[in-house]
Amino acid sequence: MKFILKIFPWKRTINVSIAVIAVLIVFNFYGLYTNTFYLLKPNNYIFPLLSLSHITFLYVLWFKIKEEELTDPQMRNIEYILYAVFGVYVFKTIESLVILTSYSEFENHIIPASFIPMGILIFILHLFLLGLTLLAIKYRRDMVGAYVFDDMNQQIDSWE
């Protein structure tokens, strides 16, 4: 684990996460079987909309670490939303693996030559996003702190 933390410090984790999300948003519109982009399918817009909450969490994490602030209820709510989005990420990873392994079922059909390389790239990016998401949550726990709100009111001076 220490090796991963050395390769991906918190700033690099945030930057690479945003880059991977951006690439996966583009690939979300890509059809592996047909080698075309589908911009008019409403289902293709679910992943980009849900990833906005992940980007919001990454921004809040960056801000909290940079300003050395404690956690707050808004950050907790965003992280809870991120847990649900993480479930969608797991679904998309499994879906890309199922599509990739369905290559042998369609050997009588014309499948583009880019099917295997693009499918492997999309699957690896999804796995990478899962790991980066868990790493960002770990950095939140280590650098920002746990969600302890019992004594939070005693640290705030209401007369300032």
Side-chain angles (χ1 to χ4, degrees), residues 21-92:
I21 288 171
V23 171
L24 282 175
I25 285 173
V26 172
F27 284 149
N28 190 52
F29 294 99
Y30 179 74
L32 276 174
Y33 294 119
T34 58
N35 199 22
T36 57
F37 284 92
Y38 296 102
L39 297 175
L40 299 178
K41 285 178 62 177
N43 292 343
N44 290 344
Y45 290 95
I46 294 172
F47 181 80
L49 289 175
L50 291 178
S51 64
L52 287 175
S53 63
H54 190 171
I55 293 171
T56 304
F57 174 77
L58 293 173
Y59 172 74
V60 170
L61 178 66
W62 171 80
F63 182 79
K64 295 287 187 180
I65 292 174
K66 203 72 159 166
E67 298 294 323
E68 298 178 0
E69 290 187 5
L70 297 174
T71 57
D72 55 7
Q74 292 84 5
M75 184 178 189
R76 180 192 61 198
N77 294 341
I78 293 171
E79 187 170 340
Y80 289 166
I81 292 170
L82 181 64
Y83 292 155
V85 171
F86 186 79
V88 174
Y89 290 167
V90 169
F91 172 76
K92 293 293 282 183

Side-chain angles (χ1 to χ4, degrees), residues 101-146:
T101 57
S102 69
Y103 181 77
S104 62
E105 295 176 13
F106 298 105
E107 52 191 19
N108 293 335
H109 300 285
I110 299 173
I111 296 179
S114 64
F115 181 83
I116 295 291
M118 290 297 288
I120 291 173
L121 176 66
I122 291 170
F123 178 68
I124 289 173
L125 285 173
H126 277 291
L127 282 178
F128 201 44
L129 183 62
L130 290 175
L132 288 170
T133 304
L134 293 175
L135 194 58
I137 292 170
K138 179 179 177 12
Y139 278 126
R140 193 274 308 156
R141 288 183 182 151
D142 293 345
M143 300 182 83
V144 179

